[in-house]
Amino acid sequence: MSLPDGVEINGPLHDRYDEILTPEALGLLAELHRTFEPRRRDLLARRATREAALARGELFDFLPDTAHIREGDWRVAEPAPGLVDRRVEITGPTDAKMTINALNSGARVWLADLEDANTPAWENVIGGQLNLRDAIDRTLELTAPTGKRYTLHDGDLATIVVRPRGWHLTEKHLLVDGERLAGALVDFGLYFFHCARRQLDRGAGPYFYLPKLESHHEARLWNDVFVLAQQRLGIPHGTIRATVLIETFPAAFEMEEILHELRDHCAGLNAGRWDYMFSVVKKFRSRGADFLLPDRNTVTMTAPFIRAYTELLVRTCHKRGAHAIGGMAAFIPSRRDPQVNETALAKVREDKTREAGDGFDGSWVAHPDLVQLCREIFDAQLGDRPHQVDRVRADVTVTAAQLLDVRHTPGSRTEAGLRNNISVGIQYLASWLAGTGAVAINNLMEDAATAEISRSQVWQWLHTGVTLDAGSDTAGPGPLVTRELVERIADEEIAKLGGDPGDYDAARSLFLDVAVSDEFVDFLTVPAYERMP
């Protein structure tokens, strides 16, 4: 294979990889890297500077320098084809089975996940691109080992919206001038190069979900990437559309600014609970009781600080003509336990009914069996309308103090919660290291965001000196969270899983490295990635 100057491929070239790793596609990646890599690194350094200021006692607030943007009269671009009605969106990785099932699910949109629900193994990175291209061409099919055959339905399929990796991750199998490329630019660039015109020819377009943004400056970087990529392929300005996940604490204070930076390319904002909670712990991990969360599974979307952020998100989006997309229903229906289904589906119904009533224009589900339930709820709210962007929620006023009000989150910090964090975190990482990024655990579809909040909460409780609350079967306070307690619980929870405990050695080691280390690791996927081939 002839490669552009300065480009190296360090991964194996399996069957059909040359269809994705073409000289022209790699040339686009090289230009993106050379143009934007210095800015990416600078923005990551700004994150560290901001965290240091928080550790010294500063707090987030709405930016005084951008008040003119918040007070100005502007709107984002009109919804693009395939993104007008988004009442149900399904999420999942880009393996062939999930790709087919998601596109066939009846959801209006599929978040094709190259980020949290995907392990960035080389085979997943390039194989996912092949699956996306084949799906658009309607040639993707799969025969499972059981003999079951998966094919795409005739007629309308879900609109594909690709989520690339965040700015913090790199791709070690592709180098330009001896430097790793940003994983975000690899995922974006390969999909855009091969599929943008294919999507336009089918009446849709190249659409993206942007994860982990922490400032409007990071949104500006994405916008500049879009502009350059469109110019290079001769695609009209504004063809790309992006929905931004507001899943970090700092981004919640810059929602209008983020929309403004992307206004020619923006489709909306999304509310993501697990990563938002992880960001709270990460940003204020050393600030004591004011930012200590209770057991993660007890923190619902009605917690005051989360309620404030979701209300502000809907208000912000509709004020600027953008869609507001609700959070995830991660429940996986059980075919063996009707009682589990009944209880969980009641919670899903309550959650989606609240979102629809609050003004969200659609919401996420993790499993095809939940598509119908979510659609029924939004059908009841929307009727024949494709969305409710015209509902501007002028009644909503949210202050910085409300967004920061973590201390009034109801709930307790219990040994059961600690055990759940450790067990789920280790189970997830065992699957992640084996190449699977979306994992069913306890009837929930878990991804990297779950592991992040699990390990970060353990780290915070340990380093804050938390004494656990009494459980239902204990008198008096629970134990002090110590490294020894965490390690003992890890061994006990692994023993409960059965099988060979050695199967979890690597996951246990990684989990403890990021959960009890003296220094907080920004993203567990960074050291995890280095442990993969």
Side-chain angles (χ1 to χ4, degrees), residues 38 55 126 141 213 251 320 341-342 405 473:
I126 306 303
E141 58 181 38
L213 267 64
R320 302 304 181 182
N341 284 350
E342 183 179 347
D405 185 19
D473 56 351

Side-chain angles (χ1 to χ4, degrees), residues 124 176 300 414:
N124 291 346
V176 171
T300 69
T414 68

Side-chain angles (χ1 to χ4, degrees), residues 16-86:
R16 298 185 63 203
Y17 279 26
D18 59 333
E19 298 177 27
I20 298 298
L21 299 170
T22 64
E24 296 79 10
L26 293 171
L28 175 62
L29 295 188
E31 183 175 6
L32 292 174
H33 175 82
R34 290 170 179 144
T35 304
F36 297 114
E37 177 63 10
R39 281 176 62 189
R40 183 187 76 91
R41 292 184 181 182
D42 176 66
L43 289 168
L44 293 178
R46 291 194 197 187
R47 291 183 181 182
T49 301
R50 202 173 195 183
E51 286 196 19
L54 295 172
R56 292 193 301 268
E58 291 188 15
L59 293 171
F60 291 117
D61 202 347
F62 299 106
L63 303 177
D65 293 346
T66 55
H68 64 285
I69 293 174
R70 296 191 297 276
E71 295 164 4
D73 182 16
W74 54 270
R75 290 172 70 83
V76 302
E78 290 296 313
L83 295 178
V84 177
D85 188 332
R86 305 177 62 174

Side-chain angles (χ1 to χ4, degrees), residues 33 37 40 44 47 114-120 163-172 180-187 211-212 222 432 448 452 522-530:
H33 175 82
E37 177 63 10
R40 183 187 76 91
L44 293 178
R47 291 183 181 182
L114 300 173
E115 196 228 6
D116 272 2
N118 181 65
T119 298
R163 177 162 69 171
R165 282 168 280 183
W167 283 128
H168 60 286
L169 292 168
T170 60
E171 175 51 64
K172 61 187 174 185
R180 290 185 181 184
L181 275 80
L185 296 181
V186 172
D187 298 339
K212 307 288 192 291
W222 267 119
W432 197 95
E452 290 285 26
D522 279 347
F523 292 97
L524 68 82
T525 47
V526 173
Y529 183 53
E530 300 308 320

